Amino acid sequence: MRRLLLGLAATTALFSQASAELLDLEKDELKFGFIKLTDMAPLAVAYEQGYFLDEGLFVTLEAQANWKVLLDGVIDGQLDGAHMLAGQPLAATIGYGTEAHIVTPFSMDLNGNGITVSNEVWDMMRPHIPSMEDGRPQHPISAQALVPVIEDFNAKGESFNMGMVFPVSTHNYELRYWLAAGGINPGYYSPENISGQIGADVFLSVTPPPQMPATLEAGTIHGYCVGEPWNQQAVFKGIGVPVITDYQLWKNNPEKVFGLTDGFVEENPNTTKAVVRALIRAAMWLDENDNANRPAAVEILSRPEYVGADQDVIANSMTGFFEFEKGDKRDIPDFNVFFRHNATYPYYSDAIWYLTQMRRWGQIAEPKSDDWFKEVAASVYRPDIYLEAARSLVEDDLANEADFPFDSDGFKAPTPAADIIDGIPFDGRTPNAYLESLPIGLKGTQTVVGDQVQG
């Protein structure tokens, strides 16, 4: 789909050839998939800045129709790797949905999502939201303000519907987290009923990201959780109001990953290392000098072969701002983080958080031990590959040693209560204790039987 930049190839040919010989690449022609979201930026930048070519890699980037098509493409070998929802490698590896061993040696970013509601719903919520001295709503906005809206819909015999992008997406879990923190039950899954709507106060369904604004405008859904630029698109079109970003929901939460099959990694270790090197360099470029390169990144992403949205829409979040209501633009410098805060390191604790949310809502139907959570995380998230690539960049004077957690055991420090909207801290070392601390959701030996939680 993408043309090879012949001029760039010519200028980097000697270095690329030396790099390929040094690493003895098993495969140098690769096709990677992505979804049209701004957090695919490391792939676009690695291509456009010539970092893939520097590694001797001739890469084609190809937009995919949806997350399932993307995952299937990686599994059946049509794609060598892809920009993925962090839940996809984990779900596939444990056999939830499509079964395959997918691994990730690279985390694409932190933060980057938002929750948007229709203008009608916003008008109903607004009286229940405190105001600041200047009259603007006080953030972060709790889902408690949505409770009377849902009650009003139900009184009229209408269901309250919201969209998310995929059952194992961060967006699904973030939307559920926000709702539950406000006392709203987003519903459960069971082996017999995978709708995720068992016992729900709000009915969540899948909508592909680029279709979110149109689906909201049509009234099919009353709100959604999605990545950029599709929250800002609703503001620009005047059809909806973002009520919270995931940075406000859980500061510096993990987002997308780069996924490959375990078989590809085993058969192509040097190629995998070269890919990770290129992606790390792209992430560094995106965040260096206090985001000085973001305007250039916005121009790249606006091209139709990548995200294809207006530059102004993409810039609203990519350059450190986020607009809620029209004119209510607020500074959120870390809304998109690609390298700071060890954003690219694939932490086991990030994987464990996703697994706890799968268990919380019944996608993992039976109780699991703490050791099980840790073993699954270690089979999917591969910090060993990441650190090997990072070390080689340091040795080549392309990166600074201080920018990487070389002494990490794979776990982040616990996320403090002050950084999460419900005030409940998260420690990836104790997943079952964390599940016990959450007021809504499965815990202990509980299971979903029929339409009831038992145990």
Side-chain angles (χ1 to χ4, degrees), residues 423-439:
I424 298 174
F426 168 68
D427 185 350
R429 300 177 190 277
T430 55
N432 279 295
Y434 172 64
L435 285 166
E436 291 286 345
S437 72
L438 298 167

Side-chain angles (χ1 to χ4, degrees), residues 173-415:
Y173 304 130
E174 287 175 347
L175 182 52
R176 288 170 174 275
Y177 204 100
W178 181 68
L179 292 167
I184 300 167
N185 190 337
Y188 294 97
Y189 297 82
S190 75
E192 297 76 32
N193 184 344
I194 59 171
S195 71
Q197 298 179 353
I198 299 170
D201 298 324
V202 172
F203 297 92
L204 309 187
S205 59
V206 171
T207 302
Q211 296 175 24
M212 289 285 192
T215 309
L216 183 74
E217 189 172 18
T220 308
I221 54 177
H222 305 109
Y224 56 71
C225 183
V226 73
E228 282 308 302
W230 308 115
N231 296 287
Q232 293 298 277
Q233 185 83 314
V235 178
F236 272 68
K237 293 184 69 174
I239 61 171
V241 177
V243 291
I244 191 169
T245 67
D246 57 348
Y247 179 82
Q248 297 166 318
L249 182 71
W250 176 18
K251 182 179 177 181
N252 293 331
N253 63 90
E255 233 311 281
K256 304 295 191 307
V257 298
F258 185 75
L260 315 97
T261 65
D262 180 62
F264 180 94
V265 171
E266 291 302 313
E267 293 169 14
N268 304 282
N270 290 336
T271 298
T272 302
K273 178 180 175 181
V275 170
V276 175
R277 279 172 54 97
L279 291 174
I280 290 174
R281 291 181 68 191
M284 291 167 58
W285 182 88
L286 280 159
D287 279 10
E288 71 184 10
N289 299 325
D290 294 324
N291 296 351
N293 295 322
R294 292 296 181 88
V298 167
E299 189 281 320
I300 292 170
L301 293 172
S302 70
R303 298 174 193 171
E305 62 265 34
Y306 295 127
V307 178
D310 291 344
Q311 289 191 44
D312 288 346
V313 175
I314 297 174
N316 242 21
S317 59
M318 278 285 285
T319 55
F321 301 95
F322 195 86
E323 192 167 13
F324 293 91
E325 291 179 276
K326 279 192 175 180
D328 184 5
K329 186 179 283 191
R330 307 195 186 196
D331 292 349
I332 306 183
D334 279 352
F335 178 82
N336 280 121
V337 175
F338 295 99
F339 188 69
R340 292 188 299 277
H341 315 308
N342 296 318
T344 52
Y345 183 91
Y347 281 102
Y348 298 143
S349 43
D350 290 345
I352 288 170
W353 184 81
Y354 285 102
L355 292 168
T356 64
Q357 300 312 293
M358 293 179 193
R359 170 61 186 145
R360 182 183 186 183
W361 305 117
Q363 291 174 330
I364 296 174
E366 302 293 334
K368 302 293 183 182
S369 69
D370 283 356
D371 285 343
W372 180 89
F373 284 94
K374 295 170 186 175
E375 287 165 5
V376 172
S379 75
V380 175
Y381 278 47
R382 296 293 304 273
D384 56 321
I385 298 173
Y386 175 88
L387 290 178
E388 183 182 357
R391 174 59 67 190
S392 68
L393 288 173
V394 172
E395 291 172 350
D396 290 345
D397 292 324
L398 294 172
N400 297 319
E401 179 158 357
D403 288 338
F404 301 96
F406 286 111
D407 59 351
S408 174
D409 64 355
F411 286 84
K412 286 180 180 175
T415 305

Side-chain angles (χ1 to χ4, degrees), residues 9 68 113 130 132 139 141 144 171 221 261 269 291 304 346 433-434 436 455:
K68 185 181 187 306
N113 297 330
M132 301 187 297
H139 282 248
I141 293 173
Q144 289 177 346
H171 319 81
I221 54 177
T261 65
N291 296 351
Y434 172 64
E436 291 286 345

